[in-house]
Amino acid sequence: MHSSSPAEAPPVREPRHAPVAHLIRGGVVEGVHHGSVVVLGTDGRVEFQLGDTEAACYPRSALKPVQATAMVRAGLPLDGALLSLAAASHSGEERHIEGARRILALAGLTEDDLRNVPDLPLGPAVRDTWVREGRAPSRLAQNCSGKHAAMLHTARLNDWPPDDYLDPGHPLQRAVAETVEDLTGQRIAQVTVDGCGAPLFAVSLTGLARAAARITTAPPGTPEARVADAMREHAEMASGSGRDVADLMHAVPGLLAKDGYEGVQVAALPDGRAVAVKIADGASRARVPVTAAALALAGVDPALLTPFAGEPLLGGGKPVGHIRPAPSLTTTPRLTASA
């Protein structure tokens, strides 16, 4: 683990977000998304920040690589596709459901042991098929089932009770909290419950970026490196077919990326450059182009990021505008390193 003691917890306050993306229709700014953005250099220092990157925020599923690291540190023996699934917000495809079943089977458990909330698949096409077939919400179909199956597997390996594995006081969740503080370098500001039922820890956006950088720069064979390798090599297992976060990892060599509900995104390169984004209104249509702009500021070749520049705005079924990062993100000089 990182040797230095964590810094104080970030302040809990109303975030002082700034404009990060514009909706431009017919040459007029029709709407503005606010948010916060931080870019770290290879030495971990903040090279760019916009908005309120030091206030406490909930990373949501963008914290899953850290949670997976905690489980591997606690003895979780998974690698490859199944470890990627342990850090996933998956689309509910058959490979995701079968993978979660395999993790449970390794622990001698079944779907009945899961404590996440039953849900329909996250992927729109998969969900539509599921509904057409008359299938009910399922714990395995819920996008966090891989994480929950891995949590149960980790608990069973350590002889920790499985029934209350989601309790913040459970040994598993205490181990996760310790890893969160270790990798972010700061105390947890607040603990609540995520949508899936697992404990959710509030850290700063800067702390989230720092954690991702520590995962991608860890020596080979460490728990951090195992998680990073699994997610990069099995990007669709950590998300799903056609998902922007998987496409981003394929497009930028060596990139580790994870999205989260409410407009959160974190991404880091093997040399320690990292970005974290929070869109105040939770809009994914702003999350993607703002993340691309942040990666360009971090020195990633903009040509690699062209597919993530922002979706068109339609009028009469035809493009009449676009979503673009705010000028403050596109006029700042880039870092010298390039991916």
Side-chain angles (χ1 to χ4, degrees), residues 20-22 33 36-37 50 275-279 285-296 308-309 323-326 329:
V20 294
H22 290 168
H33 289 287
S36 296
V37 179
L50 178 64
V275 307
V277 169
K278 164 65 180 175
I279 306 300
R285 68 177 182 180
R287 171 184 58 81
V288 177
V290 171
T291 297
L295 286 169
F308 310 96
I323 301 171
R324 289 292 181 267
L329 284 165

Side-chain angles (χ1 to χ4, degrees), residues 102-158:
R102 286 178 58 195
I103 295 172
L104 288 168
L106 289 170
L109 301 169
T110 69
E111 180 179 0
D112 292 338
D113 295 292
L114 293 170
R115 294 292 180 267
N116 59 318
V117 178
D119 202 356
L120 298 174
L122 178 64
V126 184
R127 182 172 60 247
D128 289 348
T129 300
W130 194 279
V131 171
R132 281 197 303 270
E133 294 174 351
R135 302 172 72 178
S138 159
R139 295 186 193 276
L140 283 173
Q142 197 269 338
N143 76 90
C144 302
S145 64
K147 177 182 78 174
H148 282 256
M151 285 182 169
L152 279 168
H153 192 1
T154 305
R156 178 59 64 88
L157 287 168
N158 287 278

Side-chain angles (χ1 to χ4, degrees), residues 32 37 51 69 77 106 133 151 156 162 185 244 258 272 293 315 326 334 336:
V32 179
V37 179
T69 296
L106 289 170
E133 294 174 351
M151 285 182 169
R156 178 59 64 88
D244 58 75
K258 184 69 188 76
R334 299 167 58 226
T336 55

Side-chain angles (χ1 to χ4, degrees), residues 74-90:
L76 184 69
L78 302 179
D79 281 297
L82 292 185
L83 182 53
S84 183
L85 184 62
S89 299
H90 65 72

